[in-house]
Amino acid sequence: MEPQLLHSVTDSVATVVIRHPAKRNAMTAAMWGSLPPLLETLAADPEVRALVLTGAGGTFCAGADISTLRDSPLEAQRLAVAAEEALAAFPKPTLAAVRGHCVGGGAQLAAACDLRFAEEGARFGVTPARLGIVYPASATRRLASLVGPATAKYLLFSGELIDTGRALRTGLVDEVLPGGALDERVAEFTRILTSRSQLTQAAAKEFANGRTDRDPYWAERARESGDTAEGVAAFLGRRDPRFTWSVPTPGRSGRAT
C-alpha cells in the first residue's frame, strides 16, 4: 500500500488516519506535505466540529520515515514543522487516539493535538538525540508546556520511550484506556465535544494556547451569538441546548446561523 493520509467525516467528526504499514506508519515527506492542505479543507467544512488523528492498525506513528532524512534533513524538518503548526492551529477541538508506538514525529503530531487518549501498552518517545537532530523550537516549547521542562528534557536528552502510566502522570496523555476500549471512548467523547458550544471551545482554545489580545473579540461574539442565553434557557428547561454559533470559514463572520 502507498503511504498516505486517509480521512472521513462521520457525525460531525473528521478522522485522519496515518497509513504506512510497511514502516509502522512513519511519515514520508509527501505525507507531511499533504497534512496542512487537508486540515485546511476540513477546517472549512461547516459539518466538521471535531477532529481525531490516529494511525492505521496497531500503531499511531513511528515518526518520520528516516529514508526521507538522507537527502535533505532540513527540508524534511520544515515539512514536519509546517504540519505540526497546521494541526496546532486547527480551529476546532483535536484529539489524538494512540495505539502502539507514538515516537519522534508521531509524538510531535500527538502533542500538537488538543487532547491525547491512549490505549494501554502504547509507548511514547521523542528521539532526535538518537539521530543528532535539533528538535524544532516550536515542538520543544509545545512538549515542555505539556509535560514540564524536566520531563521534556528527559525525553529529548535520552530518546528513551515511556509507557502510558508515565505519560499519564506527566500530562503527555489525558486518558489511558484498556485494550479494545479506545475507539468506543473516543466516539463517546467526540459526541460530547460536538454537542457543546463551539463558541466556548474556540475561545478556550485560543486562551489556553496563550492568545491575550482577543478578549473584546470573544465578548462581542458571545453577545451576538445568543449561545449563552440558549445555554441558560436549556439548563433551566432541562433540555439539550441548541447552540448555533460556528467557527468562521473564509467569507463568513462566525455569527449565529
Side-chain angles (χ1 to χ4, degrees), residues 20-98:
H20 189 181
K23 296 192 176 181
R24 294 192 301 174
N25 295 335
M27 294 283 289
T28 65
M31 293 166 76
W32 288 120
S34 68
L35 186 56
L38 173 58
L39 293 172
E40 183 177 2
T41 298
L42 294 173
D45 184 346
E47 294 302 312
V48 172
R49 297 179 63 117
L51 182 141
V52 174
L53 179 68
T54 194
T59 197
F60 182 76
C61 175
D65 186 336
I66 301 303
S67 65
T68 66
L69 302 179
R70 188 174 299 140
D71 297 327
S72 181
L74 291 179
E75 175 63 11
Q77 187 174 90
R78 184 192 69 78
L79 290 169
V81 169
E84 170 204 357
E85 291 300 313
L87 184 56
F90 194 79
K92 302 164 189 180
T94 57
L95 187 154
V98 179

Side-chain angles (χ1 to χ4, degrees), residues 172-196:
L172 186 57
V173 300
D174 300 287
E175 292 190 15
V176 175
L177 288 306
L182 181 62
D183 288 343
E184 182 179 355
R185 175 55 180 153
V186 168
E188 174 191 37
F189 192 77
T190 53
R191 281 194 296 272
I192 293 171
L193 292 180
T194 59
S195 73
R196 303 304 195 224

